[in-house]
Amino acid sequence: MCPGRIYAALAAIALAVASLQAQERFGVVELSANFMREKPGYEEELGDQTLMGTPVEILDKEGYWLKIRTPEPYIAWVTDLTVARMDSLSLVKYIAEPKYICTVKWTEMWAEPSTASLRIGDMVQGDIVRIWKDAKGKPVKSKGFLGVMLPSGRKAYVKASCLEDFAGWAASRMATPDNVVNTALTFNGTPYMWGGTSPKAFDCSGLTRTAYFLNGVLLPRNASQQVNVGIEVNIEPLKSAIASGGPVTSFGDLRKGDLLFFGRKGADGKTRITHVGLYIGGGRLIHSSHLVRINSLDPAEPDYYEGSTRLVKARRMCEPDGTPYTEPLIKDSRYYFPQ
């Protein structure tokens, strides 16, 4: 092939690559807790929430609705103004940039370093934003506020006490039984919402996933997926005692931080997982049912959880030192840090 044709072919390839990149098939969540609908429409079922700073893949578009896939993975629909669209190279650059993570239940973003200025939006625990740097490359700080940059590039100020350096935070997480349980307990009394996965509201698996996420471990989204990770824990003595009406004298091999799964048999005879809770020790669990609450697994106790007869399995997600059995740590995830 002559040089002219080679150059022409290379130019065509470069143009094709540029065209694919320009399609902006990726994005990053722009809202504190983005509502993900099972179909494109505000009246459609809420399937999940995904937090600010989460990278997503854009699969389809219908009107102003985008069909996205999250890292969990979960596929659902969000509106286009709630995702900052990017091409693949922009997303790689975004992931590599230094960030803050919100470490309080809820806070606000402001146009200036003052709560008297224009409100830009809110943040919840687990939200991730880029660090806003000045012309000298130093993080913007003023009057007890830190400068942040949203995925779209908008700039704002957040109280410094509400943020931590994301890389340092991720490196320091340890999903020990005590840490996971203590995190879950901070959400006691939070309202239940189907699809809720933020401190604003939780469904059952949203609570367990968040308790582990805030301790550095990424679990799948739904109870039916979470039951397939980790290792099996023997609870046969507990199930037998519950079935007999109690009292319970043995909780099997359960320890703090284990996930408890409840289910029902379908017409095909297969058990369908319908609920999940977190074992906190002493024969009790914390779970999101009507609201996040603590209940006993012992029928003889006054706070007995009425659904305990449906207990089918228990799974352990981590070693005592916080090392996960099957799921990655946030610090090792390509969705949050360059790998």
Side-chain angles (χ1 to χ4, degrees):
M1 183 180 291
C2 69
R5 290 184 178 179
I6 292 175
Y7 293 144
L10 291 175
I13 292 172
L15 184 62
V17 171
S19 176
L20 286 174
Q21 293 172 349
Q23 291 177 12
E24 296 183 331
R25 296 182 294 111
F26 303 93
V28 178
V29 175
E30 181 86 356
L31 293 185
S32 62
N34 202 358
F35 290 89
M36 299 177 64
R37 308 282 177 180
E38 296 296 348
K39 295 179 182 179
Y42 283 113
E43 73 283 2
E44 300 296 342
E45 178 185 347
L46 177 66
D48 194 8
Q49 288 179 310
T50 187
L51 300 183
M52 179 185 294
T54 303
V56 298
E57 183 181 1
I58 297 171
L59 304 176
D60 200 359
K61 188 176 189 299
E62 187 172 315
Y64 54 78
W65 289 88
L66 300 176
K67 188 177 186 179
I68 65 171
R69 174 163 44 215
T70 68
E72 295 161 307
Y74 199 94
I75 297 175
W77 295 81
V78 299
T79 58
D80 54 8
L81 292 183
T82 65
V83 173
R85 300 187 69 169
M86 301 180 184
D87 59 42
S88 57
L89 295 181
S90 297
L91 181 61
V92 169
K93 181 181 177 181
Y94 172 88
I95 291 172
E97 291 185 32
K99 300 178 182 70
Y100 295 122
I101 185 168
C102 180
T103 53
V104 297
K105 295 287 186 299
W106 181 83
T107 190
E108 295 174 286
M109 299 181 290
W110 305 94
E112 302 292 340
S114 168
T115 57
S117 64
L118 178 67
R119 183 182 186 271
I120 300 299
D122 73 329
M123 297 183 74
V124 297
Q125 195 170 12
D127 281 347
I128 301 165
V129 287
R130 285 176 289 179
I131 297 175
W132 175 10
K133 294 185 177 181
D134 61 21
K136 296 181 179 180
K138 295 183 178 180
V140 171
K141 303 177 183 180
S142 180
K143 303 174 184 178
F145 286 78
L146 294 174
V148 304
M149 187 182 301
L150 276 67
S152 63
R154 291 191 297 159
K155 296 174 180 178
Y157 290 89
V158 178
K159 288 183 178 179
S161 59
C162 300
L163 302 174
E164 289 186 23
D165 175 78
F166 180 41
W169 176 90
S172 69
R173 296 303 91 189
M174 294 181 65
T176 63
D178 281 342
N179 286 349
V180 173
V181 167
N182 290 338
T183 297
L185 290 173
T186 68
F187 299 117
N188 193 41
T190 302
Y192 177 92
M193 182 175 70
W194 180 270
T197 318
S198 80
K200 295 180 179 180
F202 289 110
D203 63 16
C204 64
S205 56
L207 173 65
T208 53
R209 186 178 194 276
T210 299
Y212 272 92
F213 177 88
L214 294 176
N215 286 284
V217 175
L218 295 169
L219 295 186
R221 172 60 181 91
N222 291 331
S224 59
Q225 299 167 318
Q226 292 176 6
V227 75
N228 295 318
V229 298
I231 62 172
E232 190 81 15
V233 178
N234 177 31
I235 54 170
E236 291 309 312
L238 172 60
K239 289 167 62 178
S240 297
I242 292 173
S244 68
V248 178
T249 58
S250 172
F251 293 96
D253 296 331
L254 282 176
R255 75 173 185 215
K256 282 185 176 183
D258 291 345
L259 297 189
L260 301 169
F261 295 92
F262 305 80
R264 292 190 179 92
K265 283 191 176 181
D268 58 0
K270 294 182 179 179
T271 298
R272 177 174 172 264
I273 300 300
T274 57
H275 188 57
V276 61
L278 181 74
Y279 187 66
I280 64 174
R284 284 174 163 75
L285 76 158
I286 185 168
H287 59 141
S288 186
S289 173
H290 304 284
L291 73 164
V292 178
R293 55 183 170 134
I294 298 169
N295 286 107
S296 174
L297 296 165
D298 188 346
E301 294 293 326
D303 59 348
Y304 171 64
Y305 171 48
E306 61 279 3
S308 294
T309 54
R310 296 186 286 106
L311 179 63
V312 292
K313 279 189 177 183
R315 306 285 292 184
R316 184 163 297 150
M317 299 296 120
C318 296
E319 294 278 4
D321 66 357
T323 303
Y325 287 116
T326 58
E327 292 302 311
L329 296 170
I330 290 175
K331 68 182 182 68
D332 298 326
S333 171
R334 63 187 176 91
Y335 296 104
Y336 296 101
F337 295 99
Q339 301 299 313

